[in-house]
Amino acid sequence: MLKAVIVDDEKPSIDILKFFLQKTGKVKVACTFQNPKKALEEIEKINPDVVFLDVEMNGMSGIEIASNISLMDKNIEIVFVTAYDKYALQAFNVNALAYMLKPVMEKDIDKTIKRLMKVCKGLSARSEVKPQVKIQCFGEFEVYSSSNNQPLKWRTSKSKELMAYFFQNRGIPISKWKLCEVLWPEGNQDKIDINLHTTIYKMKKTLRDSNIDVDIKFINKSYIMNINNIYSDVDEFELLIDNKININDDNLKNYEKAFSLYNNYLEENDYYWSLEVKEDYLQKFIKISKDLADFYIEKDNYDAAERVLKRGLEMSPLEEDLHETLLYIYVSTEDRVSFIQHYNSLMELFAQELGIEPRTTLKGLYKKMMSNCG
């Protein structure tokens, strides 16, 4: 299965191409972008096998993106999908594998995928190669080498934090001053520069001692980290979900895997700079919890829905939608004991944590349950 990225500033074009690609059964569309600059920032993190590019886009042309991708990773193949044939020569000057004209036809897709699979036999194998390094971000930040299953032992807590920050911003230039601000927000300004160089040295030595090859460059007063041949739980989580597609029988396995994979991002590390990303992952997890529960309720599989909701509430105890759906299940199954226990604990939780009562719809469920059992 080839991992693909689509970049096109017109959403209908993205949707059509994605449909045809995934219909082949040989391509997994990992991500789509309407903003070409954002795409260029994220592509190296995604590490796709192939990028499907429009040529004429607002902000940056597909030709320019392709040129940058080839500098980033020569193994990433480029396929142009455009309404104009006048760019064909420029496309092949940047080593594009194929050039398809819009409107894209299914036969054109099949032909291109066959060529891609033939020319790039190594791509599928590349995705099967055992990763050189495993990086865990859900829960405790840990880095594992392929040689053993033990997490790396860092020389200092700051060198571990630096690695975590670099990984969160991999492929993105970070100024020296930003790194100093992140690691030593209240540090002695005279010593910060020395501290940074010392910490980078210790971080790189820990990685080298475990035979982990991480490329860190200092260009235009900024550091940039690139790391290839890795597995990370957050990358797998992102690949498994698509917020634009409803859960169904075909993709249920992916969403259940993402659901079980999740833990609070860098929960055990208490890095203040990770809070925004942590909240973003939490909101994605909450949405998965709601969608999975709704899917199972529609199937009358209340046990599975209850399991999902209870774990969702472990991660986000104050999420009222999850509480309400769980209480709805107890009403539907006429489980009066479970309803009263959960409702009372919910009232106590909100009073202690927020000083408020839950929303009125929850009280409505309480009245319904009491009347049903009266």
Side-chain angles (χ1 to χ4, degrees):
M1 181 81 66
L2 297 176
K3 188 196 302 185
V5 166
I6 301 173
V7 186
D8 194 316
D9 58 1
E10 296 180 351
K11 189 176 184 303
S13 296
I14 289 177
D15 293 340
I16 292 170
L17 180 57
K18 182 177 180 180
F19 172 78
F20 281 140
L21 287 173
Q22 298 198 150
K23 188 178 178 182
T24 67
K26 298 176 182 177
V27 179
K28 164 69 176 176
V29 178
C31 206
T32 65
F33 297 94
Q34 290 180 254
N35 183 324
K37 291 183 179 178
K38 178 67 173 176
L40 194 57
E41 291 176 1
E42 298 294 326
I43 281 173
E44 190 163 20
K45 297 180 188 178
I46 299 168
N47 191 28
D49 298 312
V50 57
V51 178
F52 291 84
L53 285 171
D54 189 13
V55 176
E56 290 194 350
M57 293 182 287
N58 294 323
M60 183 181 291
S61 75
I63 301 294
E64 187 178 354
I65 293 178
S67 298
N68 280 278
I69 290 174
S70 64
L71 292 174
M72 184 189 304
D73 187 343
K74 292 181 180 180
N75 291 318
I76 298 176
E77 297 296 332
I78 301 294
V79 175
F80 284 103
V81 185
T82 178
Y84 307 96
D85 59 7
K86 61 183 179 180
Y87 298 107
L89 181 59
Q90 290 175 271
F92 290 108
N93 282 338
V94 291
N95 299 316
L97 178 82
Y99 191 94
M100 295 191 296
L101 290 176
K102 296 178 182 179
V104 176
M105 306 297 289
E106 188 170 2
K107 63 179 182 179
D108 299 325
I109 295 288
D110 291 339
K111 183 179 178 181
T112 298
I113 296 305
K114 285 179 182 177
R115 184 180 177 192
L116 186 61
M117 297 294 288
K118 182 178 180 180
V119 173
C120 309
K121 290 180 180 178
L123 287 177
S124 295
R126 184 178 76 176
S127 63
E128 300 299 325
V129 172
K130 186 177 180 181
Q132 176 202 34
V133 57
K134 173 185 173 182
I135 295 181
Q136 172 185 299
C137 293
F138 287 140
E140 173 82 11
F141 178 77
E142 299 288 8
V143 178
Y144 300 80
S145 71
S146 59
S147 59
N148 58 59
N149 292 320
Q150 297 301 314
L152 269 59
K153 294 182 179 180
W154 300 90
R155 290 169 170 256
T156 64
S157 61
K158 287 298 180 185
S159 61
K160 181 176 183 178
E161 183 177 0
L162 179 62
M163 179 61 188
Y165 188 76
F166 268 135
F167 183 71
Q168 179 174 292
N169 297 279
R170 58 198 182 279
I172 301 173
I174 310 168
S175 73
K176 179 175 69 173
W177 311 116
K178 179 64 177 177
L179 287 173
C180 291
E181 179 186 349
V182 165
L183 269 70
W184 300 280
E186 299 177 357
N188 185 326
Q189 295 299 315
D190 295 332
K191 295 183 178 179
I192 280 181
D193 205 39
I194 296 173
N195 288 341
L196 177 61
H197 289 108
T198 302
T199 303
I200 289 175
Y201 169 79
K202 290 179 179 179
M203 182 196 78
K204 291 173 75 173
K205 188 171 192 320
T206 298
L207 294 168
R208 281 198 305 270
D209 289 346
S210 297
N211 297 314
I212 296 175
D213 181 24
V214 175
D215 180 30
I216 299 176
K217 292 185 173 66
F218 185 67
I219 304 172
N220 296 328
K221 298 182 180 180
S222 293
Y223 290 93
I224 183 167
M225 183 184 85
N226 293 305
I227 180 167
N228 298 314
N229 193 22
I230 68 162
Y231 163 85
S232 79
D233 50 5
V234 290
D235 287 343
E236 182 178 12
F237 180 83
E238 293 284 6
L239 284 173
L240 289 168
I241 64 175
D242 187 339
N243 288 332
K244 299 174 185 176
I245 297 178
N246 294 327
I247 295 177
N248 53 54
D249 290 323
D250 293 331
N251 62 27
L252 175 62
K253 186 176 180 180
N254 284 353
Y255 280 88
E256 276 284 8
K257 187 174 182 181
F259 179 79
S260 62
L261 190 65
Y262 176 84
N263 199 342
N264 287 325
Y265 180 78
L266 302 186
E267 173 72 4
E268 303 300 324
N269 301 98
D270 198 27
Y271 299 145
Y272 79 92
W273 46 262
S274 69
L275 294 179
E276 184 177 345
V277 176
K278 179 180 179 179
E279 179 63 22
D280 181 60
Y281 279 120
L282 176 60
Q283 291 306 314
K284 289 178 179 178
F285 172 76
I286 289 171
K287 186 177 188 308
I288 293 172
S289 302
K290 293 176 182 176
D291 291 349
L292 276 172
D294 289 344
F295 173 83
Y296 285 127
I297 289 171
E298 287 182 10
K299 299 282 187 179
D300 293 328
N301 189 345
Y302 293 111
D303 288 341
E306 183 179 0
R307 165 183 59 83
V308 168
L309 292 166
K310 284 184 173 180
R311 182 166 188 270
L313 287 169
E314 286 178 10
M315 297 293 106
S316 185
L318 299 176
E319 191 62 36
E320 286 188 279
D321 285 344
L322 300 183
H323 284 292
E324 183 171 344
T325 305
L326 184 56
L327 290 173
Y328 168 81
I329 289 174
Y330 294 145
V331 171
S332 300
T333 56
E334 299 183 355
D335 186 347
R336 186 172 183 270
V337 173
S338 296
F339 182 95
I340 292 174
Q341 288 177 344
H342 188 78
Y343 185 83
N344 289 338
S345 64
L346 170 61
M347 295 292 286
E348 183 179 352
L349 174 68
F350 272 65
Q352 290 179 349
E353 297 295 329
L354 302 177
I356 62 172
E357 292 185 350
R359 57 195 182 198
T360 54
T361 52
L362 298 180
K363 292 184 178 181
L365 285 172
Y366 182 85
K367 290 180 181 178
K368 184 175 181 179
M369 171 58 83
M370 294 302 102
S371 64
N372 288 347
C373 298

